[in-house]
Amino acid sequence: CTKCIPGKYGATCGEDCGHCLEKIQEKPVCKIESGDCDNCEDIFWISPACKICGKEYYSLEDSCKECPKNCEKTEERDCLIDTGKCQGCEDKSFYGEYCEDSCYDRSIGCQECQQDGNCTKCQEEHYYLNITEGKCGQCFDFCLHCQSGDNCQECDPGYYYKNSSCILCPGECEEGFCTSAEGCTNCISGFYAFDGDCFECHPKCLNCTDLVGCTKCDEGWIPEERTCVNCDDPNCLTCFPRDICQKCKDNYYTFEGK
């Protein structure tokens, strides 16, 4: 053939023209040899043949439909041309064939996941990534950062790590002196810091310091285990250890350590 009827092309005029802009009798007109169009009828089609949907569209019943909005943008196609399914998600907080499913809904705390829903990134605070299950696990109470459910690296502000738990900093701790790693290192007056906590100084203590406790007690008392304890003899003013008197009250004398 040297000329085809509108809408056809090829040596025998057996091929259908694409979605060409130019039309005769509402039929697209294309070049008889190649089937190419001068222009496509709209932006959905790729020239010159105007038969294939553009990279942002997929083919459905001889028309082009827009790819799901969250499909990953690529140089070739944003979605599969025959189904419209995404090949990847632009927003990594969604997954699924059409990138409509929320990673967070599948696993609480998940910020990013693969196309199959397996989580790859969790919230930095209070969650950790369980690679085996592809989900986020939750740190134990008041743990800010952890590597697993029972392995806490840092507690929430106002808490410190001790005995595999995050414990509330003592109310007697000086402001700014309680850390996640050490607990309290400096207590208010009348208390001393030890092992992360604050303990009240003994009423008979004359010198009470942080980390040490009582180092000097009133007469008749002796420092022992960070507090003050009585000398064994009630008439003793100074003793060391508690059962050996070194100085007695007036009108008393020492005899064989008593």
Side-chain angles (χ1 to χ4, degrees):
C1 293
T2 56
K3 187 176 181 180
C4 296
I5 62 174
K8 298 291 184 178
Y9 79 96
T12 60
C13 296
E15 301 289 336
D16 292 327
C17 293
H19 293 260
C20 302
L21 180 62
E22 185 181 357
K23 289 182 172 54
I24 296 178
Q25 299 173 2
E26 298 185 358
K27 298 289 186 179
V29 176
C30 60
K31 296 178 182 179
I32 189 171
E33 303 88 357
S34 62
D36 293 347
C37 308
D38 291 331
N39 293 288
C40 298
E41 65 179 358
D42 54 44
I43 61 172
F44 304 140
W45 304 97
I46 296 177
S47 57
C50 301
K51 286 186 174 183
I52 300 176
C53 295
K55 67 181 291 293
E56 299 176 0
Y57 303 87
Y58 67 99
S59 179
L60 180 67
E61 298 177 353
D62 199 38
S63 64
C64 292
K65 299 293 183 181
E66 192 171 2
C67 293
K69 62 181 181 180
N70 197 27
C71 283
E72 188 173 17
K73 307 300 185 286
T74 65
E75 291 184 3
E76 296 181 0
R77 304 206 66 82
D78 294 354
C79 63
L80 297 177
I81 193 168
D82 55 342
T83 63
K85 295 179 180 178
C86 300
Q87 301 179 79
C89 299
E90 189 76 9
D91 184 345
K92 300 303 181 185
S93 64
F94 289 86
Y95 74 99
E97 293 180 336
Y98 302 100
C99 296
E100 297 175 332
D101 301 312
S102 168
C103 300
Y104 191 93
D105 289 345
R106 181 181 183 275
S107 175
I108 295 177
C110 184
Q111 290 184 320
E112 295 182 3
C113 61
Q114 298 172 337
Q115 195 79 4
D116 59 5
N118 282 335
C119 193
T120 56
K121 182 181 179 182
C122 300
Q123 291 178 199
E124 291 185 2
E125 298 181 351
H126 303 125
Y127 291 89
Y128 67 94
L129 179 61
N130 186 326
I131 299 177
T132 303
E133 296 183 2
K135 293 184 177 182
C136 296
Q138 191 166 8
C139 305
F140 57 69
D141 290 346
F142 310 115
C143 178
L144 186 65
H145 297 127
C146 65
Q147 288 185 334
S148 63
D150 57 358
N151 184 2
C152 186
Q153 275 93 44
E154 184 180 0
C155 296
D156 283 337
Y159 291 80
Y160 68 100
Y161 187 74
K162 183 179 180 181
N163 299 330
S164 302
S165 299
C166 286
I167 302 172
L168 183 66
C169 292
E172 300 81 13
C173 188
E174 286 276 10
E175 186 176 354
F177 284 91
C178 188
T179 65
S180 177
E182 297 181 286
C184 188
T185 56
N186 194 2
C187 299
I188 61 175
S189 177
F191 292 81
Y192 67 95
F194 182 77
D195 197 23
D197 206 348
C198 288
F199 297 88
E200 189 173 8
C201 299
H202 194 279
K204 295 294 184 179
C205 183
L206 301 178
N207 187 16
C208 188
T209 60
D210 289 315
L211 306 181
V212 178
C214 193
T215 57
K216 185 178 180 181
C217 299
D218 203 355
E219 288 184 337
W221 299 77
I222 183 174
E224 186 175 294
E225 294 183 357
R226 298 178 296 281
T227 188
C228 292
V229 295
N230 285 107
C231 295
D232 284 352
D233 193 319
N235 296 310
C236 182
L237 292 178
T238 305
C239 60
F240 186 81
R242 61 187 300 183
D243 60 348
I244 297 179
C245 188
Q246 296 173 325
K247 182 181 177 181
C248 298
K249 292 181 179 179
D250 291 342
N251 300 322
Y252 289 88
Y253 66 93
T254 58
F255 179 75
E256 295 181 354
K258 297 182 179 180

